[in-house]
Coordinates of all heavy atoms in Angstrom, one line a residue:
M277 N -17.6 -67.7 6.7 CA -16.5 -68.1 7.5 C -17.0 -68.8 8.7 O -17.9 -68.2 9.4 CB -15.7 -66.9 7.7 CG -14.6 -66.6 6.7 SD -13.7 -65.1 7.1 CE -14.8 -63.9 6.4
P278 N -16.4 -69.8 9.0 CA -16.8 -70.5 10.3 C -16.4 -69.8 11.6 O -15.2 -69.5 11.7 CB -16.2 -72.0 10.2 CG -15.0 -71.7 9.4 CD -15.2 -70.6 8.5
I279 N -17.3 -69.8 12.5 CA -17.0 -69.3 13.8 C -17.2 -70.5 14.7 O -18.3 -71.1 14.7 CB -17.9 -68.1 14.3 CG1 -17.6 -66.9 13.4 CG2 -17.6 -67.8 15.8 CD1 -18.6 -65.8 13.8
Y280 N -16.1 -70.9 15.4 CA -16.2 -72.0 16.3 C -16.2 -71.6 17.7 O -15.7 -70.5 18.1 CB -15.0 -73.0 16.1 CG -15.0 -73.6 14.7 CD1 -13.8 -73.4 13.9 CD2 -16.0 -74.3 14.3 CE1 -13.8 -74.0 12.7 CE2 -15.9 -74.9 13.0 CZ -14.8 -74.8 12.2 OH -14.7 -75.4 10.9
E281 N -16.9 -72.4 18.5 CA -17.0 -72.1 19.9 C -16.1 -73.1 20.7 O -16.1 -74.4 20.3 CB -18.4 -72.2 20.4 CG -18.5 -71.8 21.8 CD -20.0 -71.8 22.2 OE1 -20.9 -71.6 21.4 OE2 -20.3 -71.9 23.4
Y282 N -15.2 -72.6 21.5 CA -14.3 -73.5 22.2 C -14.6 -73.4 23.7 O -15.0 -72.3 24.2 CB -12.9 -73.1 21.9 CG -12.5 -73.5 20.5 CD1 -12.7 -72.5 19.5 CD2 -11.9 -74.6 20.2 CE1 -12.3 -72.9 18.2 CE2 -11.6 -75.0 18.9 CZ -11.8 -74.1 18.0 OH -11.4 -74.4 16.7
A283 N -14.2 -74.4 24.4 CA -14.2 -74.4 25.8 C -12.9 -74.8 26.3 O -12.3 -75.8 25.9 CB -15.3 -75.3 26.4
C284 N -12.3 -74.0 27.2 CA -10.9 -74.3 27.8 C -11.1 -75.5 28.7 O -12.0 -75.5 29.5 CB -10.4 -73.0 28.5 SG -8.9 -73.4 29.3
Q285 N -10.2 -76.4 28.6 CA -10.3 -77.6 29.5 C -9.6 -77.3 30.8 O -9.8 -78.1 31.7 CB -9.5 -78.7 28.7 CG -10.0 -79.0 27.3 CD -10.4 -80.4 27.1 OE1 -9.7 -81.3 27.3 NE2 -11.7 -80.6 26.8
E286 N -8.9 -76.2 30.8 CA -8.2 -75.9 32.1 C -9.2 -75.1 33.0 O -9.4 -75.4 34.2 CB -6.9 -75.0 31.7 CG -6.1 -74.7 33.0 CD -5.5 -76.1 33.6 OE1 -5.4 -77.0 32.9 OE2 -5.3 -76.0 34.8
C287 N -9.7 -74.0 32.4 CA -10.4 -73.1 33.5 C -12.0 -73.0 33.0 O -12.8 -72.4 33.8 CB -9.9 -71.6 33.4 SG -10.1 -70.8 31.8
G288 N -12.3 -73.6 31.9 CA -13.7 -73.7 31.6 C -14.3 -72.5 30.9 O -15.4 -72.5 30.5
T289 N -13.4 -71.6 30.5 CA -13.9 -70.4 29.8 C -14.3 -70.9 28.4 O -13.7 -71.6 27.7 CB -12.8 -69.4 29.6 OG1 -12.3 -68.9 30.9 CG2 -13.1 -68.2 28.8
K290 N -15.5 -70.3 28.0 CA -15.9 -70.6 26.7 C -15.8 -69.3 25.8 O -16.0 -68.2 26.3 CB -17.4 -70.9 26.7 CG -17.6 -72.4 27.3 CD -19.1 -72.7 27.2 CE -19.3 -74.2 27.8 NZ -20.6 -74.5 27.9
F291 N -15.4 -69.5 24.6 CA -15.2 -68.3 23.7 C -15.4 -68.8 22.3 O -15.3 -69.9 22.0 CB -13.8 -67.7 24.0 CG -12.7 -68.6 23.7 CD1 -12.0 -68.6 22.4 CD2 -12.2 -69.5 24.6 CE1 -10.9 -69.4 22.2 CE2 -11.2 -70.4 24.3 CZ -10.6 -70.3 23.1
E292 N -15.6 -67.8 21.4 CA -15.8 -68.0 20.0 C -14.6 -67.5 19.3 O -14.0 -66.5 19.6 CB -17.0 -67.3 19.5 CG -18.3 -68.0 20.1 CD -19.6 -67.2 19.6 OE1 -19.5 -66.2 19.2 OE2 -20.7 -67.8 19.9
K293 N -14.3 -68.2 18.2 CA -13.1 -67.8 17.4 C -13.4 -68.0 16.0 O -14.0 -69.0 15.5 CB -12.0 -68.7 17.9 CG -10.7 -68.4 17.1 CD -10.0 -67.1 17.5 CE -8.7 -67.0 16.7 NZ -8.0 -65.8 17.2
L294 N -13.1 -66.9 15.2 CA -13.3 -67.0 13.8 C -12.1 -67.7 13.2 O -11.0 -67.2 13.4 CB -13.5 -65.6 13.2 CG -13.5 -65.4 11.8 CD1 -14.8 -66.0 11.2 CD2 -13.5 -63.9 11.4
I295 N -12.3 -68.8 12.5 CA -11.1 -69.5 12.0 C -11.1 -69.3 10.5 O -12.0 -69.7 9.8 CB -11.3 -71.1 12.2 CG1 -11.4 -71.3 13.7 CG2 -10.1 -71.8 11.6 CD1 -10.2 -71.0 14.6
R296 N -10.1 -68.6 10.1 CA -9.9 -68.4 8.6 C -8.9 -69.2 8.0 O -8.9 -69.5 6.9 CB -9.5 -66.9 8.4 CG -10.7 -66.0 8.5 CD -10.4 -64.6 8.4 NE -9.7 -64.2 9.7 CZ -9.6 -63.0 10.1 NH1 -10.3 -62.0 9.5 NH2 -9.0 -62.6 11.3
R297 N -7.9 -69.7 8.8 CA -6.9 -70.6 8.1 C -6.3 -71.4 9.3 O -6.5 -71.2 10.4 CB -5.8 -69.8 7.5 CG -5.2 -68.7 8.4 CD -4.3 -67.7 7.7 NE -3.6 -66.9 8.6 CZ -4.2 -65.7 9.1 NH1 -5.4 -65.4 8.7 NH2 -3.6 -65.0 10.0
Q298 N -5.5 -72.4 8.8 CA -5.0 -73.4 9.7 C -4.2 -72.7 10.9 O -4.2 -73.2 12.0 CB -4.1 -74.4 9.0 CG -3.6 -75.5 9.8 CD -4.7 -76.4 10.4 OE1 -5.7 -76.6 9.8 NE2 -4.5 -76.8 11.7
A299 N -3.5 -71.6 10.6 CA -2.6 -70.9 11.5 C -3.5 -70.4 12.7 O -3.0 -70.4 13.8 CB -1.9 -69.8 10.9
D300 N -4.7 -70.1 12.5 CA -5.6 -69.6 13.5 C -5.8 -70.7 14.5 O -5.9 -70.5 15.7 CB -6.9 -69.2 12.9 CG -6.8 -67.8 12.2 OD1 -5.9 -67.0 12.4 OD2 -7.6 -67.6 11.3
L301 N -5.9 -71.9 14.0 CA -6.1 -73.1 14.9 C -4.8 -73.3 15.7 O -4.9 -73.7 16.8 CB -6.5 -74.3 14.1 CG -7.9 -74.3 13.5 CD1 -8.0 -75.6 12.6 CD2 -8.9 -74.4 14.6
D302 N -3.7 -73.2 15.1 CA -2.4 -73.5 15.7 C -2.2 -72.6 16.8 O -1.5 -73.0 17.8 CB -1.3 -73.4 14.6 CG -1.4 -74.5 13.6 OD1 -2.2 -75.5 13.9 OD2 -0.9 -74.4 12.6
D303 N -2.5 -71.3 16.7 CA -2.3 -70.4 17.8 C -3.3 -70.3 18.8 O -3.4 -69.3 19.6 CB -2.1 -68.9 17.3 CG -1.4 -68.8 16.0 OD1 -0.4 -69.5 15.9 OD2 -1.7 -67.8 15.4
L304 N -4.4 -71.1 18.7 CA -5.5 -70.9 19.5 C -5.3 -71.3 20.9 O -4.7 -72.3 21.3 CB -6.6 -71.9 19.0 CG -8.0 -71.5 19.3 CD1 -8.4 -70.2 18.9 CD2 -9.0 -72.5 18.7
T305 N -5.4 -70.3 21.8 CA -5.3 -70.4 23.2 C -6.4 -69.8 24.0 O -7.1 -68.9 23.4 CB -4.0 -69.8 23.8 OG1 -3.9 -68.5 23.4 CG2 -2.7 -70.5 23.2
C306 N -6.6 -70.2 25.2 CA -7.6 -69.6 26.1 C -7.4 -68.1 26.3 O -6.2 -67.8 26.7 CB -7.7 -70.4 27.4 SG -8.8 -69.7 28.5
P307 N -8.3 -67.3 26.1 CA -8.1 -65.8 26.3 C -8.0 -65.6 27.8 O -7.5 -64.5 28.2 CB -9.3 -65.2 25.7 CG -10.4 -66.2 25.7 CD -9.7 -67.5 25.6
S308 N -8.4 -66.5 28.6 CA -8.4 -66.2 30.1 C -7.1 -66.7 30.8 O -6.4 -66.0 31.5 CB -9.6 -66.9 30.7 OG -9.6 -66.8 32.1
C309 N -6.6 -68.0 30.4 CA -5.5 -68.5 31.1 C -4.4 -68.9 30.1 O -3.3 -69.2 30.6 CB -6.0 -69.7 32.0 SG -6.3 -71.2 30.9
G310 N -4.7 -68.8 28.9 CA -3.6 -69.1 27.9 C -3.4 -70.6 27.5 O -2.5 -70.9 26.8
E311 N -4.2 -71.4 28.2 CA -4.1 -72.8 27.9 C -4.5 -73.2 26.5 O -5.3 -72.5 25.9 CB -5.0 -73.5 29.0 CG -5.2 -75.0 28.7 CD -3.8 -75.7 29.0 OE1 -3.2 -75.5 30.0 OE2 -3.4 -76.4 28.1
S312 N -3.8 -74.1 25.9 CA -4.1 -74.5 24.5 C -4.8 -75.8 24.4 O -5.2 -76.3 23.4 CB -2.8 -74.6 23.7 OG -1.9 -75.5 24.3
R313 N -5.3 -76.4 25.6 CA -6.1 -77.5 25.5 C -7.5 -77.0 25.5 O -8.1 -76.7 26.5 CB -5.9 -78.5 26.7 CG -4.6 -79.2 26.6 CD -4.5 -80.3 27.7 NE -4.6 -79.7 29.1 CZ -5.4 -80.1 30.0 NH1 -6.3 -81.1 29.7 NH2 -5.5 -79.5 31.1
L314 N -8.1 -77.1 24.2 CA -9.4 -76.6 24.1 C -10.3 -77.7 23.5 O -9.9 -78.4 22.6 CB -9.4 -75.4 23.2 CG -8.4 -74.3 23.7 CD1 -8.2 -73.2 22.6 CD2 -8.9 -73.6 24.9
A315 N -11.5 -77.6 23.9 CA -12.5 -78.6 23.3 C -13.5 -77.8 22.5 O -14.0 -76.8 22.9 CB -13.3 -79.3 24.4
R316 N -13.5 -78.2 21.1 CA -14.4 -77.4 20.3 C -15.8 -77.9 20.6 O -16.1 -79.0 20.7 CB -14.0 -77.7 18.8 CG -14.6 -76.7 17.9 CD -14.1 -76.8 16.5 NE -15.0 -77.6 15.7 CZ -14.7 -78.1 14.5 NH1 -13.5 -77.9 14.0 NH2 -15.6 -78.7 13.8
Q317 N -16.7 -76.9 20.7 CA -18.1 -77.1 21.0 C -18.8 -77.2 19.7 O -18.3 -76.9 18.6 CB -18.7 -76.0 21.8 CG -17.8 -75.7 23.0 CD -17.9 -76.8 24.1 OE1 -18.9 -77.0 24.7 NE2 -16.7 -77.5 24.2
L318 N -20.0 -77.6 19.8 CA -20.9 -77.7 18.6 C -21.1 -76.2 18.1 O -21.2 -75.3 18.9 CB -22.3 -78.3 18.9 CG -22.3 -79.8 19.3 CD1 -23.6 -80.2 19.7 CD2 -21.7 -80.5 18.1
S319 N -21.2 -76.1 16.8 CA -21.4 -74.8 16.3 C -22.6 -74.2 16.9 O -23.7 -74.9 17.0 CB -21.6 -74.9 14.7 OG -22.1 -73.8 14.2
T320 N -22.6 -72.9 17.0 CA -23.9 -72.3 17.5 C -24.9 -72.2 16.5 O -26.1 -71.9 16.8 CB -23.5 -70.8 18.0 OG1 -22.9 -70.1 16.9 CG2 -22.6 -70.8 19.2
F321 N -24.6 -72.5 15.2 CA -25.6 -72.4 14.2 C -26.2 -73.8 14.1 O -27.3 -73.9 13.3 CB -24.9 -72.1 12.8 CG -24.3 -70.8 12.9 CD1 -23.0 -70.6 12.8 CD2 -25.1 -69.6 13.0 CE1 -22.4 -69.3 12.9 CE2 -24.6 -68.3 13.0 CZ -23.3 -68.2 12.9
A322 N -25.6 -74.8 14.6 CA -26.2 -76.2 14.5 C -27.4 -76.3 15.4 O -27.5 -75.7 16.5 CB -25.2 -77.2 14.9
P323 N -28.4 -77.1 15.1 CA -29.5 -77.2 15.9 C -29.1 -78.0 17.2 O -28.3 -78.8 17.2 CB -30.5 -78.1 15.1 CG -29.7 -78.7 14.0 CD -28.5 -77.8 13.8
Q324 N -29.7 -77.5 18.3 CA -29.3 -78.2 19.5 C -30.0 -79.5 19.6 O -31.1 -79.7 19.6 CB -29.8 -77.3 20.7 CG -29.3 -75.9 20.7 CD -28.0 -75.9 21.5 OE1 -27.8 -76.6 22.5 NE2 -27.0 -75.2 21.0
M325 N -29.1 -80.5 19.8 CA -29.6 -81.9 20.0 C -30.3 -82.0 21.3 O -29.8 -81.6 22.3 CB -28.5 -83.0 19.8 CG -27.8 -82.9 18.5 SD -28.9 -83.1 17.1 CE -29.1 -84.9 17.2
G326 N -31.5 -82.6 21.3 CA -32.2 -82.8 22.5 C -32.9 -81.7 23.0 O -33.6 -81.8 24.0
A327 N -32.8 -80.6 22.3 CA -33.6 -79.4 22.7 C -35.1 -79.7 22.5 O -35.4 -80.5 21.6 CB -33.2 -78.2 21.9
S328 N -35.9 -78.9 23.2 CA -37.3 -79.3 23.1 C -37.7 -78.8 21.6 O -37.5 -77.8 21.2 CB -38.1 -78.5 24.1 OG -38.0 -77.1 23.9
K329 N -38.5 -79.8 21.0 CA -38.9 -79.6 19.6 C -40.3 -79.4 19.6 O -41.0 -80.3 20.2 CB -38.4 -80.7 18.8 CG -37.3 -80.4 17.8 CD -37.0 -81.5 16.8 CE -37.2 -83.0 17.2 NZ -36.7 -83.9 16.3
S330 N -40.8 -78.5 18.9 CA -42.3 -78.4 18.7 C -42.7 -79.5 17.8 O -42.0 -79.8 16.8 CB -42.7 -77.1 18.2 OG -42.1 -76.7 17.1
P331 N -43.8 -80.1 18.0 CA -44.3 -81.3 17.2 C -44.5 -80.7 15.8 O -44.8 -79.5 15.5 CB -45.5 -81.7 17.8 CG -46.0 -80.7 18.8 CD -44.8 -79.8 19.1
A332 N -44.3 -81.5 14.8 CA -44.6 -81.2 13.4 C -46.1 -80.7 13.3 O -46.9 -81.3 13.9 CB -44.3 -82.3 12.5
P333 N -46.2 -79.7 12.5 CA -47.6 -79.2 12.4 C -48.5 -80.3 11.8 O -48.1 -81.0 10.9 CB -47.6 -78.0 11.4 CG -46.2 -78.1 10.8 CD -45.3 -78.9 11.7
A334 N -49.6 -80.4 12.3 CA -50.6 -81.4 11.7 C -50.9 -81.1 10.3 O -51.1 -79.9 9.9 CB -51.9 -81.4 12.5
M335 N -50.8 -82.1 9.4 CA -51.1 -81.8 8.0 C -52.1 -82.8 7.5 O -52.2 -84.0 7.9 CB -49.8 -82.0 7.2 CG -49.1 -80.8 7.0 SD -47.6 -81.0 5.9 CE -48.6 -81.4 4.3
C336 N -53.0 -82.4 6.6 CA -54.0 -83.2 6.0 C -53.1 -84.3 5.2 O -52.2 -84.0 4.6 CB -54.7 -82.4 5.1 SG -55.9 -83.4 4.0
P337 N -53.5 -85.5 5.3 CA -52.8 -86.6 4.6 C -52.7 -86.3 3.1 O -51.8 -86.9 2.4 CB -53.6 -87.8 4.9 CG -54.5 -87.5 6.1 CD -54.6 -86.0 6.1
S338 N -53.6 -85.5 2.6 CA -53.5 -85.2 1.2 C -52.5 -84.3 0.8 O -52.2 -84.0 -0.4 CB -54.9 -84.7 0.6 OG -55.1 -83.5 1.2
G339 N -51.8 -83.7 1.8 CA -50.7 -82.7 1.5 C -51.2 -81.4 1.2 O -50.6 -80.6 0.4
G340 N -52.4 -81.0 1.7 CA -52.8 -79.6 1.5 C -53.8 -79.5 0.3 O -54.3 -78.5 0.0
M341 N -54.0 -80.7 -0.3 CA -54.9 -80.6 -1.5 C -56.2 -81.3 -1.2 O -56.9 -81.9 -2.1 CB -54.2 -81.4 -2.6 CG -52.9 -80.8 -3.1 SD -53.0 -79.1 -3.7 CE -53.6 -79.5 -5.4
C342 N -56.6 -81.3 0.1 CA -57.8 -82.0 0.5 C -59.0 -81.4 -0.2 O -59.2 -80.1 -0.2 CB -57.9 -81.9 2.0 SG -59.3 -82.8 2.6
P343 N -59.7 -82.2 -0.9 CA -60.9 -81.7 -1.6 C -62.0 -81.4 -0.7 O -63.0 -80.8 -1.2 CB -61.2 -82.8 -2.6 CG -60.7 -84.1 -1.9 CD -59.5 -83.7 -1.1
T344 N -62.0 -81.9 0.5 CA -63.1 -81.7 1.4 C -62.6 -81.1 2.7 O -62.5 -81.8 3.7 CB -63.8 -83.0 1.7 OG1 -62.9 -83.9 2.1 CG2 -64.6 -83.5 0.4
P345 N -62.3 -79.8 2.7 CA -61.7 -79.2 3.9 C -62.7 -79.4 5.1 O -63.9 -79.2 4.9 CB -61.6 -77.7 3.6 CG -61.6 -77.6 2.1 CD -62.4 -78.8 1.6
G346 N -62.2 -79.7 6.3 CA -63.1 -79.9 7.4 C -63.5 -81.4 7.5 O -64.0 -81.8 8.6
K347 N -63.3 -82.1 6.5 CA -63.8 -83.5 6.5 C -62.7 -84.5 6.9 O -63.0 -85.7 7.3 CB -64.4 -84.0 5.1 CG -65.5 -83.1 4.7 CD -66.8 -83.5 5.5 CE -68.0 -82.7 4.9 NZ -69.1 -82.6 5.7
C348 N -61.4 -84.0 6.7 CA -60.4 -85.0 7.0 C -59.9 -84.9 8.4 O -59.0 -85.7 8.8 CB -59.1 -84.7 6.0 SG -58.4 -83.1 6.4
G349 N -60.5 -84.0 9.2 CA -60.1 -83.9 10.6 C -59.0 -83.0 10.9 O -58.5 -82.9 12.0
M350 N -58.4 -82.5 9.8 CA -57.1 -81.7 10.0 C -57.4 -80.2 9.9 O -56.5 -79.3 10.0 CB -56.1 -82.1 9.0 CG -55.6 -83.5 9.2 SD -54.7 -83.7 10.7 CE -54.4 -85.5 10.6
N351 N -58.6 -79.8 9.4 CA -58.9 -78.4 9.2 C -59.9 -77.9 10.2 O -60.8 -78.5 10.6 CB -59.4 -78.2 7.8 CG -58.4 -78.5 6.8 OD1 -57.2 -77.9 6.8 ND2 -58.6 -79.4 5.9
Ligands
ZN69 ZN1 -8.5 -71.2 30.3

């Protein structure tokens, strides 16, 4: 079941809401001020765009089947 994160456009409160059916979206209001103008945020499960990413691990060009470990410069 999707849990969406919303930010109130009026007071800036952020909250999460479990959405099970369309009616849940229809009654959605800010828990702080009752405003219904809400901006849906990116899912908390989605990878953060622009977040610092560790570089991909160095891999032997042979894909791990290097016949001469230590000779390819990756081991
Ligand atoms: Zn609000």
Side-chain angles (χ1 to χ4, degrees):
M277 273 179 275
I279 296 177
Y280 294 124
E281 188 176 333
Y282 290 89
C284 175
Q285 308 237 298
E286 185 65 27
C287 70
T289 297
K290 289 186 179 175
F291 61 98
E292 291 176 348
K293 178 76 177 178
L294 177 65
I295 302 298
R296 280 173 288 206
R297 54 190 186 275
Q298 183 63 37
D300 287 335
L301 285 172
D302 294 343
D303 319 327
L304 202 57
T305 55
C306 173
S308 177
C309 71
E311 176 60 55
S312 58
R313 283 189 305 130
L314 305 167
R316 199 169 97 192
Q317 308 294 290
L318 292 175
S319 163
T320 52
F321 299 110
Q324 297 276 320
M325 300 303 285
S328 63
K329 249 188 332 188
S330 54
M335 268 187 66
C336 174
S338 68
M341 303 293 283
C342 186
T344 55
K347 300 286 189 196
C348 69
M350 298 292 177
N351 293 305

